[in-house]
Amino acid sequence: MNKTKRAIFDAAIKEFSGNGYTGTSVDSIAIEAGVAKGTLYYHFKSKEEIFNFIITHGMEELTHSVEGTVLDGEDILGSFRQICREQLGLVHQNKNFFKVVMSQLWGQELRHLQLREAVRKYIQVIE
């Protein structure tokens, strides 16, 4: 992820976390990211696309963290303990991301369904 996309990613998480999906605008994300609105639209077509990007990449980052933890475990119980520690650390380090996930998990709009699918895949990795 390049520097601009990372700034948008971090800003979007902060905005969605603080204001909810409906209360967040593309303008507010651009301002928080410190980029021009045109720059934001160069990378993303809509607020929905930004939301999908943060969910996709956020869940990928979490998955990579957990996969590394599982590979380090010597036995099932040891792996389980490591996963629990890793999960708690990830929740603590990514409070705003988890707040977005939890606030958008329910509903029947496409973003809700896609988020539930991403969480399901993440749980499969842990299993």
Side-chain angles (χ1 to χ4, degrees):
M1 187 180 325
N2 69 32
K3 184 179 174 184
T4 302
K5 273 193 156 180
R6 186 68 199 192
I8 294 168
F9 176 82
D10 293 338
I13 289 172
K14 184 175 180 184
E15 289 298 306
F16 287 130
S17 172
N19 304 315
Y21 183 83
T22 7
T24 297
S25 67
V26 172
D27 287 337
S28 67
I29 295 170
I31 291 166
E32 182 64 34
V35 299
K37 191 173 175 181
T39 301
L40 193 140
Y41 277 117
Y42 174 78
H43 292 283
F44 302 98
K45 295 176 188 169
S46 64
K47 178 171 80 168
E48 187 79 23
E49 192 173 301
I50 296 168
F51 182 82
N52 290 335
F53 176 75
I54 68 165
I55 294 304
T56 300
H57 288 281
M59 294 307 286
E60 284 175 5
E61 288 179 6
L62 296 176
T63 299
H64 291 303
S65 294
V66 169
E67 284 175 335
T69 300
V70 172
L71 295 175
D72 293 340
E74 294 180 14
D75 60 5
I76 292 175
L77 186 56
S79 290
F80 181 70
R81 285 183 180 134
Q82 285 181 336
I83 288 171
C84 289
R85 276 192 287 268
E86 183 69 19
Q87 272 299 122
L88 290 172
L90 289 170
V91 169
H92 179 71
Q93 292 168 358
N94 301 285
K95 292 175 197 156
N96 287 339
F97 178 73
F98 280 99
K99 186 175 177 183
V100 172
V101 168
M102 295 307 294
S103 71
Q104 293 296 308
L105 204 51
W106 312 114
Q108 293 304 314
E109 292 184 37
L110 183 58
R111 75 175 174 275
H112 300 124
L113 301 174
Q114 290 170 331
L115 175 59
R116 284 197 294 274
E117 179 61 17
V119 170
R120 186 188 65 73
K121 287 179 181 177
Y122 178 67
I123 291 169
Q124 283 180 330
V125 169
I126 294 173
E127 289 175 345

